[in-house]
C-alpha cells in the first residue's frame, strides 16, 4: 500500500517535514504529527477535540451515528445477549469466552471478591458523612499496599491477576462505602450469588436479614454495569493511561481514573441529573430550566445532555430508557413515576428545541441511569461509585493494552504565552543586601 503523507504549509510555504497518515479500521484516519517538533511547531488542541492519543483495538464510537462497539460487538447486542462478566472478559481478552473460559473467569472473579480484613479499618477514619467517592478513591489507591508481590507490570500473568482482582473487589468496596455512610455493618460477598445480585446483597442485606433480589432488578443492575464498562478514550480512561505511562502500579492508575470520573462533566453527571430532576420538581418548571441552559450568560447546563463525541443519541441512553420502564414496573412505582415523567418530557422538549438541535445535544448515558439506580434503592451519592465499578474493566483493558506493548511517558507540551526572560530587579537585590 502506498505510504500516505501529509504536509504542513505555513503562510503559503510548505514545511520540509513529512507527516505520515495512518489508516484506521473504523473511523477517521490519523496524521502522525510526532515529527512536527523538528519544524519548530507543536500542535494545539486543548480538550483534545481532534487528537488521537494512542491506537487501540478495544472500543469504537461513531458519534454522528450513535454507534458504540466493544471489540466490534454493538452495545445493543451485548446488552440483549451478554452479561457484565462476559463483557469484562471480552474487553480484557478481545474475544467472547467459550463455555470453559466463561466458567473459569466467573469463578476466578467470584473467589477474589473479598477484601483484606485490614481494609475494613480504613473506613474507621472516614466521617460517616463522607461522599462515597472520596472513600472509594482512597481505598482503591491503598489496595496496592496489599499486593506488592504481584505488581510486576511487565508480567502478563500479574497484569491479568490485577485486572481480575480489581474487577472482583470493586463491588465489595462500593458496598462498603455505602454501608459506612448508613452505619450498618459491612456485608461479606456471597459466592453463591451472581455478580450483580451479590452487589445488591452487600448493599442492602444486613446480618439480621437477607436481601431478596428479584431477577429483574439483578438483570437491570448487571446491565447498568455492562453499559458503563468502557467508552474509548474518555477523560477518566485517558487519566488511567497517562498515569500508567509513568509505570505507576495499576491500583494507583485506577484510583486516578476514579478521581477524574467524579467530575460533574463526566461520571458525576448521573448524580447531577437526579439533583436536577429533583430541583425541577414538576413538569410545569421544565421550560424555566431549559431557558437557563440556553442562556449564554448562565453557566447552567442540563445534566445528562450533550457529549463530546455523540452528536446523535447515546446508544446506552436508548437501552437505559427501556430498562427504566421495566424497573419502575418491577418496583411497583407508577410507570409515570414523577422523575421519569419529568425526564421523558424534558427529553422531548429539549430534542425539539433549536438550541439543542443545532448543538446536537442528546441525552447521554447519565440521563436515565440515575432514575434506574434510584428505583433500585441506591442513594444519589452512590451513583458515580456505580459508574466507577462498571467502568473498571474498560480502565484495566486500556491500561493493559498500553503497558503490554512499547509505550512512552505521556508528556504534552504547551502554547506558552507568559512573559519573556527578565532579570530579578537590582533594586530588590540592593534592598535585600542592606
Ligand atoms: C460522560 O467522554 C465520554 O465518553 C464520557 C462518557 C463515558 O462513558 O465515559 O460518555 C460519560 O461523561 C457523559 C457526559 C456526562 N456529562 C453531562 O451530562 C454534563 C452536561 N454535559 C456538558 O457538560 C457537555 O455536554 C459535555 C461536558 C458532556 C461535553 O462538553 P463539550 O464537548 O466540551 O461541549 P461544549 O461544552 O463545548 O458544548 C458545546 C455547546 C456549548 O454552547 P456554545 O458555546 O456553542 O453556545 O453546547 C452547549 C455548550 O454551552 N452545551 C450545553 C450542554 N452541553 C453542551 N448546553 C446546555 N446543556 C448542556 N448539557
Amino acid at each position: 500500500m502506498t505510504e500516505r503523507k501529509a504536509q504542513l504549509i505555513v503562510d503559503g510555504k510548505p514545511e520540509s517535514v513529512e507527516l505520515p497518515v495512518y489508516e484506521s479500521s473504523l473511523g477517521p484516519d490519523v496524521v502522525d504529527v510526532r515529527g512536527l517538533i523538528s519544524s519548530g511547531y507543536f500542535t494545539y488542541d486543548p480538550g483534545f477535540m481532534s487528537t488521537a492519543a494512542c491506537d487501540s483495538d478495544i472500543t469504537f464510537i461513531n458519534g454522528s451515528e450513535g454507534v458504540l462497539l466493544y471489540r466490534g460487538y454493538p452495545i445493543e447486542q451485548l446488552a440483549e445477549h451478554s452479561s457484565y462478566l462476559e463483557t469484562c472478559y471480552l474487553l480484557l481478552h478481545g474475544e467472547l469466552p467459550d463455555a470453559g473460559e466463561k466458567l473459569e473467569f466467573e469463578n476466578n472473579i467470584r473467589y477474589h471478591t473479598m477484601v483484606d480484613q485490614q481494609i475494613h479499618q480504613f473506613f474507621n477514619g472516614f466521617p460517616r458523612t463522607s461522599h462515597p467517592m472520596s472513600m472509594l478513591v482512597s481505598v482503591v489507591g491503598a489496595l496496592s499496599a496489599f499486593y506488592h508481590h504481584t505488581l510486576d507490570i511487565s508480567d502478563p500473568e500479574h497484569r491479568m491477576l490485577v485486572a481480575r482482582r480489581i474487577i472482583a473487589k470493586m463491588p465489595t468496596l462500593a458496598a462498603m462505602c455505602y454501608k459506612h455512610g448508613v452505619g450498618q455493618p459491612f456485608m461479606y460477598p456471597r459466592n453463591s450469588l451472581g455478580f450483580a445480585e451479590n452487589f445488591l446483597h452487600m448493599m442492602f442485606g444486613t446480618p439480621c436479614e437477607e436481601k431478596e433480589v428479584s431477577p429483574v432488578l439483578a438483570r437491570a443492575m448487571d446491565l447498568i454495569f455492562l453499559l458503563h464498562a468502557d467508552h474509548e478514550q474518555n477523560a477518566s480512561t485517558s487519566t488511567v493511561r497517562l498515569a500508567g505511562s509513568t509505570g505507576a502500579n495499576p491500583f494507583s492508575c485506577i484510583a486516578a481514573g476514579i478521581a477524574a470520573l467524579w467530575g460533574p462533566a463526566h461520571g458525576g453527571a448521573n448524580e447531577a441529573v437526579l439533583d436536577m430532576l429533583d430541583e425541577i420538581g414538576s413538569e410545569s418548571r421544565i421550560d424555566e430550566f431549559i431557558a437557563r441552559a440556553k442562556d449564554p450568560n448562565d453557566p447552567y447546563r442540563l445534566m445528562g445532555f450533550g457529549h463530546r463525541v455523540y452528536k446523535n443519541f447515546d446508544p446506552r441512553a436508548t437501552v437505559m430508557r427501556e430498562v427504566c420502564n421495566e424497573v419502575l414496573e418491577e418496583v411497583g412505582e407508577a410507570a409515570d413515576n414523577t422523575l421519569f415523567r419529568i425526564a421523558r418530557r424534558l427529553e422531548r422538549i429539549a430534542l425539539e428545541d433549536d438550541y439543542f438541535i443545532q448543538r446536537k445535544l442528546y441525552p447521554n448515558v447519565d440521563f436515565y441511569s440515575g432514575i434506574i439506580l434510584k428505583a433500585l434503592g441506591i442513594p444519589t451519592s452512590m451513583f458515580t461509585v456505580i459508574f466507577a465499578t462498571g467502568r473498571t474493566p474498560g480502565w484495566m483493558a486500556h491500561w493493559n493494552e498500553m503497558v503490554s506493548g512499547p509505550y512512552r511517558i505521556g508528556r504534552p507540551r504547551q502554547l506558552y504565552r507568559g512573559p519573556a526572560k527578565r532579570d530579578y530587579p537590582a533594586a530588590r537585590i540592593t534592598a535585600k543586601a542592606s
Side-chain angles (χ1 to χ4, degrees):
M1 179 167 56
T2 50
E3 273 223 326
R4 298 166 59 196
K5 300 271 185 204
Q7 191 166 36
L8 179 68
I9 297 174
V10 180
D11 304 329
K13 188 168 83 54
E15 293 290 326
S16 57
V17 66
E18 285 196 334
L19 307 172
V21 175
Y22 305 138
E23 192 171 341
S24 68
S25 53
L26 286 175
D29 295 342
V30 298
V31 176
D32 181 345
V33 294
R34 284 176 290 186
L36 206 54
I37 182 70
S38 64
S39 62
Y41 291 99
F42 291 151
T43 57
Y44 182 68
D45 187 14
F48 308 118
M49 304 284 281
S50 57
T51 291
C54 61
D55 46 295
S56 178
D57 303 347
I58 299 170
T59 291
F60 175 72
I61 302 172
N62 180 322
S64 54
E65 292 173 19
V67 170
L68 171 57
L69 308 177
Y70 286 172
R71 299 287 189 176
Y73 294 99
I75 192 72
E76 298 87 345
Q77 294 182 27
L78 292 170
E80 187 177 352
H81 305 299
S82 187
S83 68
Y84 177 64
L85 285 186
E86 183 180 78
T87 300
C88 290
Y89 185 98
L90 172 66
L91 288 168
L92 288 172
H93 298 282
E95 296 297 337
L96 290 167
D98 61 28
E101 290 161 336
K102 187 163 184 276
L103 189 63
E104 186 279 330
F105 185 74
E106 288 175 345
N107 281 333
N108 195 253
I109 294 292
R110 179 175 291 117
Y111 292 106
H112 278 100
T113 46
M114 221 162 41
V115 296
D116 188 294
Q117 199 64 16
Q118 288 296 98
I119 289 274
H120 292 227
Q121 313 308 324
F122 280 75
F123 287 86
N124 295 336
F126 296 120
R128 293 275 182 201
T129 53
S130 305
H131 191 290
M133 282 294 278
S134 58
M135 294 187 266
L136 186 71
V137 71
S138 311
V139 293
V140 170
L143 278 178
S144 61
F146 297 84
Y147 300 110
H148 279 298
H149 52 294
T150 52
L151 281 180
D152 174 359
I153 60 175
S154 65
D155 180 339
E157 283 188 16
H158 282 197
R159 293 202 300 269
M160 270 307 138
L161 175 57
V162 164
R164 288 165 176 221
R165 264 192 171 129
I166 201 159
I167 289 169
K169 296 180 192 312
M170 281 294 275
T172 309
L173 294 169
M176 291 170 82
C177 294
Y178 169 67
K179 286 298 197 190
H180 181 72
V182 295
Q184 289 182 3
F186 299 138
M187 293 298 286
Y188 288 96
R190 181 71 48 79
N191 291 342
S192 58
L193 299 177
F195 188 89
E197 196 183 356
N198 208 356
F199 171 65
L200 293 172
H201 146 72
M202 291 187 281
M203 280 285 291
F204 300 119
T206 71
C208 317
E209 64 177 307
E210 271 305 304
K211 165 71 180 172
E212 284 305 311
V213 178
S214 85
V216 170
L217 300 189
R219 173 64 184 148
M221 191 70 247
D222 195 80
L223 205 43
I224 290 263
F225 288 138
L226 188 155
L227 292 170
H228 286 84
D230 190 47
H231 212 240
E232 200 216 67
Q233 305 306 325
N234 59 83
S236 53
T237 301
S238 299
T239 302
V240 170
R241 277 181 174 261
L242 191 58
S245 75
T246 70
N249 78 70
F251 294 107
S252 308
C253 297
I254 298 299
I258 294 171
L261 184 76
W262 196 358
H266 190 15
N270 51 18
E271 180 176 349
V273 166
L274 253 292
D275 295 342
M276 173 186 75
L277 294 175
D278 276 334
E279 194 186 355
I280 293 174
S282 80
E283 290 175 79
S284 60
R285 294 194 61 204
I286 289 178
D287 291 339
E288 174 194 330
F289 282 81
I290 295 244
R292 280 191 59 195
K294 291 163 58 176
D295 179 353
N297 302 313
D298 187 335
Y300 181 79
R301 294 194 165 177
L302 279 192
M303 291 291 108
F305 275 84
H307 199 277
R308 170 59 58 77
V309 178
Y310 287 122
K311 301 309 172 191
N312 195 320
F313 263 95
D314 179 336
R316 301 167 296 176
T318 309
V319 177
M320 291 271 193
R321 190 196 303 133
E322 297 319 309
V323 177
C324 251
N325 287 313
E326 292 161 23
V327 169
L328 290 172
E329 203 173 307
E330 176 72 11
V331 298
E333 287 266 352
D336 68 342
N337 157 295
T338 309
L339 289 179
F340 189 50
R341 208 175 55 245
I342 293 174
R344 290 302 302 266
R345 189 153 150 67
L346 182 62
E347 177 188 18
R348 260 198 316 278
I349 295 174
L351 294 182
E352 288 158 9
D353 185 295
D354 271 351
Y355 174 92
F356 290 83
I357 295 170
Q358 281 162 19
R359 292 167 180 78
K360 301 181 186 298
L361 302 176
Y362 288 84
N364 57 46
V365 66
D366 295 303
F367 188 63
Y368 284 105
S369 58
I371 300 169
I372 300 172
L373 294 172
K374 189 176 175 73
L376 290 171
I378 292 168
T380 309
S381 63
M382 278 290 293
F383 288 3
T384 311
V385 169
I386 305 281
F387 192 148
T389 303
R391 182 53 53 90
T392 298
W395 286 333
M396 287 312 297
H398 283 276
W399 172 80
N400 184 59
E401 180 178 67
M402 182 182 72
V403 299
S404 55
Y407 65 97
R408 308 183 71 177
I409 188 169
R411 206 280 186 213
R413 302 304 303 274
Q414 61 181 7
L415 169 63
Y416 177 70
R417 287 203 159 133
K421 181 177 174 298
R422 54 183 171 166
D423 294 325
Y424 194 82
R428 296 172 76 96
I429 300 169
T430 322
K432 214 170 151 199
S434 59

